[in-house]
Amino acid sequence: MAFIVTFASQKGGVAKSTLSQATAVELLKSGLTVKIADYDFRQHTSADWANDRIEDPKKTVVPVQTYRTLSEALRDAALYDVLIIDAPGHSGEHFLTLARSVDLLIQPTGGSKADLRPAIREFHELVKQGVPRDKLSLILSRMRKDTEEEAAKFYIQEAGYTLIDGALRDKLAYALAMDAGAAVTEVSGKKMREEAQAAVRAIVDLILSRLEVAA
């Protein structure tokens, strides 16, 4: 059975697909078999990205498939080392089911209190419903200033949840790279590429450490 990780949030536009795609690319470089289950069947963000990526023969092919239900996606998990579920925003009542079905739930969040408060409330509710706290992690995305990042880190640490090192910046270059089928870790600008690689590498290291424990 695969290690199953999902990028999920009740909010849209927080970089769930962005991180799903970049994490898949980096895990493939590690020699693992990986698939993205694009569970956002209305938007097909990761599936469309994968199709754009295929047009460049120099880029690693990332297997992506759209699914209408979570159960359909989970049935294919045994075929891969890692299954990444790119969950839709506004998952509603399915958020708990999703959390119970995966090995690791990563919730990307912005740095404002309007982002952080509902993100933490969601995790509090999951823990209240019996989801193990060590299954839940957050990562900062759409960061604009270092001061915003530092304040957000403090807020999350005070709430008692795991915060993955690194953060994605709010940069147009990342969106343009993804439009061309690239991951944010493959953007041409050196500084932006290194920042994205640091954040995604921290996600990959967390997944690999959990895989070692499971083995």
Side-chain angles (χ1 to χ4, degrees), residues 32-48:
L32 297 174
T33 57
V34 182
K35 185 175 190 176
I36 298 176
D38 192 339
Y39 183 34
D40 194 347
F41 61 87
R42 289 188 178 88
Q43 294 194 27
H44 295 182
T45 304
S46 284
D48 289 342

Side-chain angles (χ1 to χ4, degrees), residues 59-76:
K59 290 187 173 72
T60 305
V61 174
V62 179
V64 180
Q65 184 175 338
T66 57
Y67 295 89
R68 295 190 65 85
T69 67
L70 178 60
S71 60
E72 289 175 350
L74 295 175
R75 279 200 294 269
D76 284 349

Side-chain angles (χ1 to χ4, degrees), residues 116-131:
L116 291 167
R117 283 170 173 162
I120 296 300
R121 285 193 195 107
E122 287 299 331
F123 273 6
H124 283 340
E125 183 59 29
L126 292 179
V127 171
K128 183 179 178 181
Q129 295 296 326
V131 176

Side-chain angles (χ1 to χ4, degrees), residues 84-137:
I84 298 172
I85 298 177
D86 181 6
H90 314 293
S91 300
E93 63 186 24
H94 300 296
F95 205 69
L96 177 59
T97 301
L98 185 62
R100 286 173 169 165
S101 302
V102 303
D103 299 298
L104 177 64
L105 188 154
I106 300 175
Q107 185 177 190
T109 179
S112 71
K113 286 186 178 179
D115 293 317
L116 291 167
R117 283 170 173 162
I120 296 300
R121 285 193 195 107
E122 287 299 331
F123 273 6
H124 283 340
E125 183 59 29
L126 292 179
V127 171
K128 183 179 178 181
Q129 295 296 326
V131 176
R133 188 177 284 258
D134 64 1
K135 186 187 279 193
L136 308 173
S137 297

